[in-house]
Amino acid sequence: MKNPWITKTSKKIYQNPWIELTEHQVVHPGGKDGIYGVVHFKNKAVAIIPLDEEYNTWLVGQYRYTLKQFSWEIPEGGSKLDIDPLLGAQRELKEETGITAKDWKEILNVDLSNSVTDETGVTYIAKDLSFGQAEPDEDEKLEIKKLPFSKVYEMAMSGEITDCLAVASIFKTQLLIEKGLI
């Protein structure tokens, strides 16, 4: 489909090391003038579901400033756009949980909120795990919890886990487990 939007002007409104906000003066698909704000992310979201031989996994919990509440999530973080996201995922898993893995499988690639951002995310299942010490970033205070994956799936189904990348990743993993693909 041909792009029905016409961009008249664009102005960078704000930026920091992680995001950039641009306001665009546009003609929208209905033919009238309008504005459109786009948040550009300077990193790709990476997420990991580590699974041991008994199908246990690890959740990371932290207080989310934007939501003003505590959130249980799968290990997640950002990976620079110019590097292989698998390297970013491996780094994030080690930083947040102390876990390293020999076996990695990409299971999901998603647009995270495509009405206002260009942020994309990728999820990997990590297996053949080794355990060490977590090394979270200095601005993170994390809780780590080991659970059977079936319990994590229940937490996503009940709304106890609400992070969209985590929920999508958990549901996809459940489907792959049911089909005997992991």
Side-chain angles (χ1 to χ4, degrees):
M1 169 187 248
K2 184 178 181 243
N3 181 359
W5 293 83
I6 298 169
T7 302
K8 293 165 42 175
T9 63
S10 298
K11 179 181 177 185
K12 193 179 299 182
I13 303 297
Y14 172 79
Q15 74 172 336
N16 66 30
W18 306 279
I19 63 170
E20 182 178 285
L21 174 61
T22 303
E23 181 180 279
H24 303 276
Q25 298 298 319
V26 299
V27 177
H28 63 67
K32 296 193 178 181
D33 288 343
I35 62 168
Y36 209 105
V38 175
V39 180
H40 165 69
F41 278 75
K42 297 179 180 180
N43 292 299
K44 182 177 192 80
V46 292
I48 309 94
I49 296 186
L51 289 174
D52 67 13
E53 297 80 17
E54 290 83 35
Y55 285 86
N56 293 304
T57 194
W58 285 257
L59 292 180
V60 175
Q62 62 186 305
Y63 189 89
R64 288 297 189 181
Y65 184 85
T66 52
L67 303 175
K68 297 179 177 49
Q69 66 184 23
F70 187 84
S71 176
W72 283 110
E73 302 161 10
I74 60 178
E76 298 177 5
S79 180
K80 296 289 183 197
L81 296 175
D82 61 348
I83 70 163
D84 181 347
L86 176 58
L87 297 174
Q90 291 169 334
R91 176 187 44 77
E92 284 294 334
L93 182 61
K94 178 149 181 27
E95 281 180 10
E96 292 191 353
T97 65
I99 297 172
T100 57
K102 291 181 183 170
D103 183 21
W104 290 82
K105 179 179 181 177
E106 182 180 321
I107 62 159
L108 189 68
N109 246 300
V110 293
D111 298 319
L112 291 174
S113 184
N114 65 9
S115 63
V116 294
T117 81
D118 63 359
E119 185 180 26
T120 61
V122 61
T123 302
Y124 299 91
I125 291 180
K127 295 180 84 176
D128 197 0
L129 308 178
S130 299
F131 302 92
Q133 188 66 34
E135 301 168 5
D137 292 335
E138 65 181 26
D139 63 348
E140 293 178 315
K141 183 175 181 187
L142 307 176
E143 291 185 34
I144 301 167
K145 172 162 55 171
K146 177 183 175 182
L147 294 167
F149 182 80
S150 60
K151 173 62 177 162
V152 171
Y153 176 68
E154 289 173 17
M155 292 170 72
M157 285 295 292
S158 71
E160 191 175 346
I161 296 174
T162 59
D163 174 78
C164 78
L165 186 54
V167 171
S169 300
I170 292 164
F171 287 174
K172 179 79 178 263
T173 301
Q174 179 65 29
L175 287 171
L176 292 171
I177 290 171
E178 288 173 5
K179 292 180 180 274
L181 299 174
I182 55 169

